[in-house]
Amino acid sequence: MSTVTAASSAVGSFCIPRSRGRINMPRFTMTVRSSNAVSAGVAPILTKFKHDCATPLPLLRHVADAMAADMRAGLAVDGGSDLKMILSYVDTLPTGNERGLFYALDLGGTNFRVLRVQLGGKEERVIATEFDQVSIPQELMFGTSEELFDFIASGLAKFAEKEGGKFHLPPGRKREIGFTFSFPVRQTSIDSGILIKWTKGFAVSGTAGRDVVACLNEAMDRQGLDMRVSALVNDTVGTLAGARYWDDDVMVAVILGTGTNACYVERMDAIPKLQGHVSPSGRTIVNTEWGAFSNGLPLTVFDKDMDAASINPGEQIFEKTISGMYLGEIVRRVLLKMAAEGALFGESVPEKLSTPFVLRTPDLSAMQQDNSDDLNVVGSILYNVAGVESNLSARKIVLEVCDTIVMRGGRLTGAGIVGILQKMEEDSTGLIFGKRTVVAMDGGLYEHYPQYKRYLKDAVKEILGLEKSKNVVIEHTKDGSGIGASLLAASNSKYEHDF
């Protein structure tokens, strides 16, 4: 039975600009108004905004319960809920016993990444890794399928030519590669998937409706490259596999960067819509595509306006509430209203502040790390990014808006994680809360935004209580999806395993 994989969002572009804190405030004159003057016009907007963003414990419990219920509905039948609950066909997870040389290819945006890893079994684990990144020329994003895949296969061939040193392929074997493909595909097996459509600015002709693995295999043959795809995976699934290799207790993986997604290890007998697929382990990884979740979320007028103006109104509501792509834009919309109706930055509204997405989530994070008395970094970022001149009182309000949005995002993400864990525990009492359970986190938002991470972890503790939450470990796993794809190529190798 075929299933539909929604596009997974790339997560690598989120990082805090280190230099911003050292920018000197430009010399300019401004009308200095009293703290009360700022507060009077802005206070009602801020009060309502904080009220609408509130995430008290009962609301978090409702979100967790709704997430678990939507997961069940999505597993029962395709289209049963907002959550697609896509089967990954990954039934064999890395154990640490894998040996040999394996490759990975990650195609999810305007660059593609290639990686090789030499595995040495339980004793030596990862003996060596090497990777390379290649930019895809603009014209190939609008060219033919053959041109794009030939370019990728050519890059792979050049990378494979440099193989040497600690990397060696056993005689009589073809190189095997794990292919992380972050576009919408209808996956039909561990090593095949039909492209539904290109996204993220790609408009390549001749690929839609074709098996992307066949496209890559054919291009590698044309390049004379002795390599075959043994696993087609989504980046979140790759992250889970990469983390699981080092830690058998990993049951869930969450990507939290520009976009967001989550996957987890599910029992085959808990997937009613699955017919005819048998897994030797009795388990498989399910890709939730949780960005589409929308049940019971606390949304403001700013969220609704941003959604209405987006390219996919009414869709990906959870993603728009919690992920790095959108947090800065929500804050910008709040500040624009405060500037226009509450004179937050003086009598005129700065023109740049009207530009959608001019304020990015890394800017919020950099501002929230400012501990100076005059909040100089906050002032610098507001001026350089949004053309805003601000006094101390205005800067404090800006920080309050940032913190409100980040607290809501972190706490809702925590509730989503609890929902996944709850669903797994309901099916197998003691499986999750009765022992150590690891949630592997990847993505720049989680890695680079300390307040977000703290709010997320605190929410998990609050919902589960002290006793249960002791067994839940939330761990950062940096760039796990690349090595995860190569590990899935190893655990799904067509050769007799010598491990």
Side-chain angles (χ1 to χ4, degrees), residues 25 28 30-33 344-346 374-376 378-383 387-396 398:
M25 277 297 286
F28 52 78
M30 62 179 173
T31 311
V32 178
R33 289 158 290 125
L344 178 62
F345 304 116
D374 62 353
L375 297 177
N376 187 47
V378 176
S380 297
I381 289 172
L382 288 172
Y383 185 81
V388 166
E389 297 175 2
S390 58
N391 61 17
L392 183 58
S393 172
R395 291 173 201 173
K396 284 179 175 174
V398 169

Side-chain angles (χ1 to χ4, degrees), residues 103 152-161 163 174-175 177 216-228:
Y103 279 74
I152 292 167
S154 166
L156 252 176
K158 285 173 191 160
F159 182 64
E161 275 168 23
E163 183 183 291
K174 203 170 184 167
R175 288 174 186 84
I177 186 166
L216 181 58
N217 279 336
E218 287 161 16
M220 291 191 293
D221 287 342
R222 286 193 293 271
Q223 294 292 328
L225 178 58
D226 196 27
M227 195 180 282
R228 69 174 284 278

Side-chain angles (χ1 to χ4, degrees), residues 40-55:
V42 166
I45 301 170
L46 183 62
T47 303
K48 176 160 175 48
F49 176 63
K50 288 173 87 164
H51 173 269
D52 291 348
C53 282
T55 49

Side-chain angles (χ1 to χ4, degrees), residues 40-270:
V42 166
I45 301 170
L46 183 62
T47 303
K48 176 160 175 48
F49 176 63
K50 288 173 87 164
H51 173 269
D52 291 348
C53 282
T55 49
L57 184 54
L59 183 140
L60 293 180
R61 287 209 168 111
H62 170 76
V63 168
D65 291 344
M67 180 70 76
D70 274 11
M71 286 169 70
R72 286 191 188 286
L75 288 171
V77 60
D78 278 333
S81 81
D82 286 342
L83 303 186
K84 288 193 168 72
M85 304 304 285
I86 294 151
L87 310 174
S88 68
Y89 293 89
V90 172
D91 308 333
T92 313
L93 281 163
T95 60
N97 292 317
E98 294 79 7
R99 292 174 185 275
L101 170 63
F102 297 93
Y103 279 74
L105 165 67
D106 189 341
L107 176 63
T110 52
N111 299 311
F112 72 86
R113 216 159 57 97
V114 285
L115 174 143
R116 64 176 145 250
V117 59
Q118 188 75 38
L119 303 172
K122 273 274 199 271
E123 298 306 309
E124 295 179 282
R125 292 276 175 163
V126 176
I127 296 168
T129 57
E130 281 179 348
F131 73 92
D132 200 5
Q133 187 156 299
V134 182
S135 288
I136 297 172
Q138 186 88 29
E139 62 270 19
L140 289 184
M141 293 170 68
F142 300 95
T144 67
S145 182
E146 202 164 290
E147 287 166 344
L148 175 65
F149 281 98
D150 278 353
F151 178 77
I152 292 167
S154 166
L156 252 176
K158 285 173 191 160
F159 182 64
E161 275 168 23
K162 298 175 194 163
E163 183 183 291
K166 293 180 177 177
F167 300 95
H168 49 87
L169 189 71
R173 284 197 176 193
K174 203 170 184 167
R175 288 174 186 84
E176 293 183 291
I177 186 166
F179 185 13
T180 304
F181 186 76
S182 299
F183 296 92
V185 301
R186 184 175 293 110
Q187 192 139 358
T188 48
S189 72
I190 185 64
D191 59 358
S192 61
I194 309 298
L195 178 73
I196 296 165
K197 62 175 179 178
W198 289 103
T199 54
K200 306 178 194 177
F202 281 73
V204 178
S205 62
T207 329
R210 287 205 63 202
D211 178 0
V212 292
V213 171
C215 293
L216 181 58
N217 279 336
E218 287 161 16
M220 291 191 293
D221 287 342
R222 286 193 293 271
Q223 294 292 328
L225 178 58
D226 196 27
M227 195 180 282
R228 69 174 284 278
V229 176
S230 58
L232 174 68
V233 297
N234 147 292
D235 53 357
T236 319
V237 172
T239 298
L240 194 153
R244 179 74 171 233
Y245 179 72
W246 299 102
D247 190 337
D248 288 341
D249 293 335
V250 174
M251 298 296 280
V252 180
V254 176
I255 290 191
L256 203 53
T258 306
T260 184
N261 196 11
C263 69
Y264 70 105
V265 180
E266 181 59 282
R267 287 171 23 186
M268 301 293 273
D269 61 4

